[in-house]
Amino acid sequence: MAAPSLAADTRDTKNLPFLYRHYPREELLGALRRMHLIRKFEEGAEESYMRGLIHGTMHLSIGQEASAVGICLPLTREDQITSTHRGHGHCIAKGAEVKRMFAEFFGKTTGYCGGRGGSMHIADVSTGNLGANGIVGGGIPIAVGAALTAKRLKTGKVVVSFFGDGANNEGAFHEALNMAAVWKLPVVFVCENNKYGMSTSTERSTAVPNIADRAAAYAMPGVIVDGNDLSAVAQASHEAVERARRGEGPSLIECKTYRYRGHSKSDRNRYRTKDEIDEWMANRDPIERYEAELSAFGIATAEELEAVREAVRAEIAAGIDFAKESPAPVVADLADYVYTEQN
């Protein structure tokens, strides 16, 4: 028997986790679709790289899907984000089209940045994505600037700044949090703590046990969540976003998560054990956990879950074909979108 349609969604949700009390079935399945889309996009990008279709490097977030999707759930299209070098999931969670992302990876003119940005520099202002950033912590002050604009112009927008654990030891992190707190800006700082800044563990690089502990120094809430639990991430994001909309200022959310792949394609993964990686994959996978909840709470059948996966596989295949068939830039257009036109 199929799960009830959205129109007939009469689930008793009062004893369920936050996500299932605040979002209808259609949006719950939409969140699953985006999580699968992120993972399959990155697996498709990885395969394309191995086949020589993509050059350079890339930083994959496989294993961190719940963080990106959960944080973006309460955001509107008009709200904005800044991203990181490991930002594909953020782009997709905020509404990017995978076909244009693949085209960007392939260096084609139909990519989000005309093929000039590649993996680390995808931006889509139309969906509020102010851009990924190859500089560690580089997006944090940009988010504060965007939040200042939102406050001064009274647009009602909230800005989310994603960054990794390595960025919390950058000066820009501390300067940005202080300024945002002083001016009570509508910005949410989201640290995706996957335990390693490149090959250095947070235990070796950061003086405090939790990065969220640093929020106290800037008089803002510091929240620690299981970054692989979609409901926990969504609840923390919802509360921080609503606080920002009320004019009460910024929050810092630390999502404890894990990346299955190395730091980049050149990472030989010698700083962590196979047992550690396998344990996270086997017992803490965010997609498997979410699918298990959807089944346990009667929201989707096994057949419906497989239908989501199949639709995602088809979209990814079509996206790769789109990228392959798109035109490459020509030398005569080399300076387009790089330099401003001279009057």
Side-chain angles (χ1 to χ4, degrees), residues 89-242:
H90 311 146
C91 296
I92 293 171
K94 197 60 175 69
E97 295 181 84
V98 294
K99 67 178 185 179
R100 293 190 63 192
M101 290 179 66
F102 275 123
E104 185 62 32
F105 273 53
F106 281 46
K108 300 299 185 67
T109 60
T110 52
Y112 273 108
C113 300
R116 288 158 172 77
S119 170
M120 286 192 287
H121 299 97
I122 294 175
D124 179 20
V125 178
S126 69
T127 61
N129 179 1
L130 301 181
N133 203 306
I135 299 172
V136 175
I140 303 175
I142 294 173
V144 170
L148 176 60
T149 299
K151 182 170 184 176
R152 292 293 298 272
L153 298 182
K154 297 180 172 59
T155 64
K157 294 178 182 179
V158 171
V159 185
V160 168
S161 177
F162 288 100
F163 55 94
D165 47 275
N168 96 105
N169 291 317
E170 293 285 338
F173 167 86
H174 298 275
E175 295 166 356
L177 266 67
N178 185 65
M179 185 176 290
V182 169
W183 289 341
K184 292 189 180 301
L185 299 181
V187 58
V188 180
F189 300 103
V190 178
C191 178
E192 295 181 302
N193 183 354
N194 59 27
K195 295 175 62 68
Y196 298 95
M198 295 187 71
S199 60
T200 304
S201 69
T202 54
E203 289 85 357
R204 294 176 57 203
S205 64
T206 303
V208 292
N210 302 296
I211 291 162
D213 295 344
R214 290 185 159 169
Y218 305 107
M220 69 177 69
V223 181
I224 302 168
V225 297
D226 180 345
N228 287 14
D229 181 338
L230 184 66
S231 182
V233 175
Q235 182 171 2
S237 181
H238 178 86
E239 292 170 358
V241 167
E242 289 305 304

Side-chain angles (χ1 to χ4, degrees), residues 6-332:
L6 180 63
D9 192 351
T10 58
R11 291 174 289 120
D12 181 5
T13 62
K14 61 180 179 294
N15 295 318
L16 295 179
F18 172 88
L19 188 69
Y20 307 95
R21 289 184 278 111
H22 287 78
Y23 290 91
R25 177 173 179 271
E26 183 178 70
E27 291 190 46
L28 295 175
L29 294 178
L32 177 65
R33 174 187 166 275
R34 287 191 293 278
M35 290 173 71
H36 274 296
L37 204 58
I38 292 168
R39 181 163 298 186
K40 290 303 179 184
F41 172 84
E42 294 205 310
E43 289 176 350
E46 185 175 43
E47 181 182 359
S48 297
Y49 178 90
M50 298 298 289
R51 294 170 58 193
L53 299 172
I54 297 174
H55 304 284
T57 190
M58 65 180 70
H59 305 77
L60 303 176
S61 64
I62 294 172
Q64 300 183 188
E65 295 85 0
S67 174
V69 173
I71 290 294
C72 289
L73 267 174
L75 300 182
T76 67
R77 187 179 179 87
E78 289 71 32
D79 291 328
Q80 298 171 314
I81 67 168
T82 61
S83 186
T84 72
H85 59 283
R86 200 179 309 283
H88 315 141
H90 311 146
C91 296
I92 293 171
K94 197 60 175 69
E97 295 181 84
V98 294
K99 67 178 185 179
R100 293 190 63 192
M101 290 179 66
F102 275 123
E104 185 62 32
F105 273 53
F106 281 46
K108 300 299 185 67
T109 60
T110 52
Y112 273 108
C113 300
R116 288 158 172 77
S119 170
M120 286 192 287
H121 299 97
I122 294 175
D124 179 20
V125 178
S126 69
T127 61
N129 179 1
L130 301 181
N133 203 306
I135 299 172
V136 175
I140 303 175
I142 294 173
V144 170
L148 176 60
T149 299
K151 182 170 184 176
R152 292 293 298 272
L153 298 182
K154 297 180 172 59
T155 64
K157 294 178 182 179
V158 171
V159 185
V160 168
S161 177
F162 288 100
F163 55 94
D165 47 275
N168 96 105
N169 291 317
E170 293 285 338
F173 167 86
H174 298 275
E175 295 166 356
L177 266 67
N178 185 65
M179 185 176 290
V182 169
W183 289 341
K184 292 189 180 301
L185 299 181
V187 58
V188 180
F189 300 103
V190 178
C191 178
E192 295 181 302
N193 183 354
N194 59 27
K195 295 175 62 68
Y196 298 95
M198 295 187 71
S199 60
T200 304
S201 69
T202 54
E203 289 85 357
R204 294 176 57 203
S205 64
T206 303
V208 292
N210 302 296
I211 291 162
D213 295 344
R214 290 185 159 169
Y218 305 107
M220 69 177 69
V223 181
I224 302 168
V225 297
D226 180 345
N228 287 14
D229 181 338
L230 184 66
S231 182
V233 175
Q235 182 171 2
S237 181
H238 178 86
E239 292 170 358
V241 167
E242 289 305 304
R243 168 183 160 85
R245 291 202 202 282
R246 292 193 301 267
E248 297 175 14
S251 303
L252 171 60
I253 300 172
E254 179 181 2
C255 294
K256 302 273 193 179
T257 184
Y258 198 78
R259 53 174 166 81
Y260 297 166
R261 302 297 195 267
H263 169 70
S264 67
K265 295 307 296 179
S266 60
D267 184 354
R268 301 179 70 179
N269 247 334
R270 289 181 171 175
Y271 50 89
R272 55 184 186 169
T273 66
K274 183 178 183 298
D275 287 345
E276 178 183 297
I277 299 170
D278 289 345
E279 195 278 329
W280 277 87
M281 293 176 68
N283 301 318
R284 309 190 201 183
D285 185 82
I287 297 178
E288 290 182 3
R289 287 172 65 175
Y290 186 45
E291 286 192 340
E293 289 182 351
L294 291 173
S295 295
F297 298 148
I299 295 165
T301 64
E303 293 77 14
E304 288 169 324
L305 295 178
E306 178 56 31
V308 172
R309 299 184 204 111
E310 182 56 37
V312 166
R313 286 192 286 265
E315 185 171 350
I316 293 299
I320 292 175
D321 287 343
F322 173 83
K324 288 179 179 177
E325 296 164 4
S326 292
V330 297
V331 174

